[in-house]
Amino acid sequence: MRQTLSGHSLDIDSLLTLPNNQLASSSWDTSIRIWNTTTGRHVRTLSGHTDKVYALVLLKNGFLASCSQDCTIRVWNYREGRLVRSITDYNWIFVLAVLDNGELASGGADTPIKIWNPNDGSLVRILNGHYNYILSLVVLPNNRLASGSKDATIRIWDTTNGLLKHTLIGHTDEVLSICLLPNGHLVSSSKDTTIKIWAKKNTDDWELERNLTEHTDTVMSLAYLQNGNLISGSFVGTFKIWKLKKD
């Protein structure tokens, strides 16, 4: 272990790498902390949220956006430690994704996905189609957005007009994480203990290609590794590394 960064008092829910060897962390203690990863030094704390902070993203303009159980999205100039803007919704917000045009998608403890203009806080568009909480978002090429939900489905959206383009059905419980592979395929993980790989046939046509069933508990998170493998983390604290490419 190289170093330990200590400062949060409750669970850490999100980490985000920043330019200049910095790291942002968000916590159930309501704070966001900025760290220097070279020295391990705590640079500053961003305070303003009043409940658990679930997710962090870096906006196209270089500002940091956070979402919280306090029903707000907050935009920060993290270099100066200054709150730029607060966007208020009416329910808990769990996930954020930055679209290619700079707009900000959010999902949470209600069924719509909302797209915001982070520069003025205005609501641009609402995507309706899920029947339960939104738990994961990932941006796809061609102005598409994939969302995973507690309703056990993954939905593909056209973000330019809000239209639902495809629904991926296969999981039997909530979809907690979605990962985009370099070949354009999607990987999803679920409370049903499985990982599914969805093959992209064209812009709006997907089919189930592989079903990975070696986990025995909820699969919480996914990440694609630089060596071409996939790593998954489960609720019981185990990681599994999957070889995606065939010899």
Side-chain angles (χ1 to χ4, degrees):
M1 182 174 65
R2 181 181 170 188
Q3 56 189 303
T4 300
L5 309 181
S6 299
H8 287 294
S9 59
L10 291 173
D11 297 15
I12 297 169
D13 236 21
S14 181
L15 297 173
L16 179 68
T17 56
L18 301 172
N20 302 316
N21 299 313
Q22 291 191 329
L23 176 77
S25 59
S26 71
S27 171
W28 287 16
D29 67 10
T30 78
S31 75
I32 300 161
R33 292 178 180 256
I34 309 298
W35 311 86
N36 183 308
T37 57
T38 302
T39 64
R41 184 175 64 88
H42 171 235
V43 177
R44 66 179 51 88
T45 298
L46 307 179
S47 300
H49 282 295
T50 59
D51 212 324
K52 300 172 183 176
V53 186
Y54 287 120
L56 302 169
V57 292
L58 193 63
L59 300 175
K60 298 286 187 180
N61 61 8
F63 288 165
L64 180 72
S66 59
C67 65
S68 169
Q69 190 166 302
D70 67 11
C71 307
T72 69
I73 298 169
R74 296 181 189 244
V75 178
W76 310 85
N77 183 328
Y78 70 90
R79 295 178 180 88
E80 299 176 0
R82 176 171 56 87
L83 178 65
V84 176
R85 181 169 296 104
S86 183
I87 302 170
T88 302
D89 204 352
Y90 62 85
N91 220 322
W92 300 354
I93 306 168
F94 298 142
V95 288
L96 299 172
V98 180
L99 306 183
D100 289 338
N101 65 358
E103 292 174 344
L104 183 64
S106 70
D110 51 6
T111 60
I113 297 161
K114 295 174 183 177
I115 298 178
W116 309 86
N117 181 338
N119 296 318
D120 61 14
S122 61
L123 180 62
V124 177
R125 190 167 292 111
I126 296 176
L127 313 182
N128 288 301
H130 280 295
Y131 298 100
N132 213 322
Y133 294 2
I134 311 299
L135 302 175
S136 50
L137 295 171
V138 66
V139 175
L140 307 178
N142 302 309
N143 300 307
R144 299 300 190 257
L145 179 73
S147 57
S149 170
K150 195 173 179 179
D151 66 15
T153 69
I154 300 162
R155 296 178 189 253
I156 310 297
W157 309 86
D158 184 336
T159 58
T160 63
N161 54 27
L163 293 179
L164 175 63
K165 305 301 291 186
H166 197 83
T167 301
L168 282 57
I169 298 174
H171 285 295
T172 58
D173 211 326
E174 51 197 73
V175 180
L176 296 170
S177 183
I178 309 173
C179 176
L180 179 65
L181 300 181
N183 64 1
H185 291 2
L186 280 177
V187 186
S188 57
S189 71
S190 171
K191 193 176 179 180
D192 67 13
T193 77
T194 71
I195 299 168
K196 298 185 187 297
I197 300 177
W198 307 87
K200 182 180 180 181
K201 299 304 179 183
N202 56 55
T203 300
D204 296 314
D205 187 18
W206 304 73
E207 68 179 21
L208 182 62
E209 181 181 74
R210 294 171 66 184
N211 193 36
L212 309 179
T213 59
E214 281 77 2
H215 277 291
T216 58
D217 208 319
T218 300
V219 188
M220 302 291 294
S221 57
L222 299 167
Y224 180 78
L225 303 178
Q226 290 183 348
N227 64 2
N229 292 336
L230 179 77
I231 188 168
S232 57
S234 79
F235 183 75
V236 294
T238 60
F239 291 93
K240 293 185 184 293
I241 297 176
W242 309 84
K243 186 175 182 180
L244 298 178
K245 296 179 180 178
K246 298 179 181 179
D247 294 326

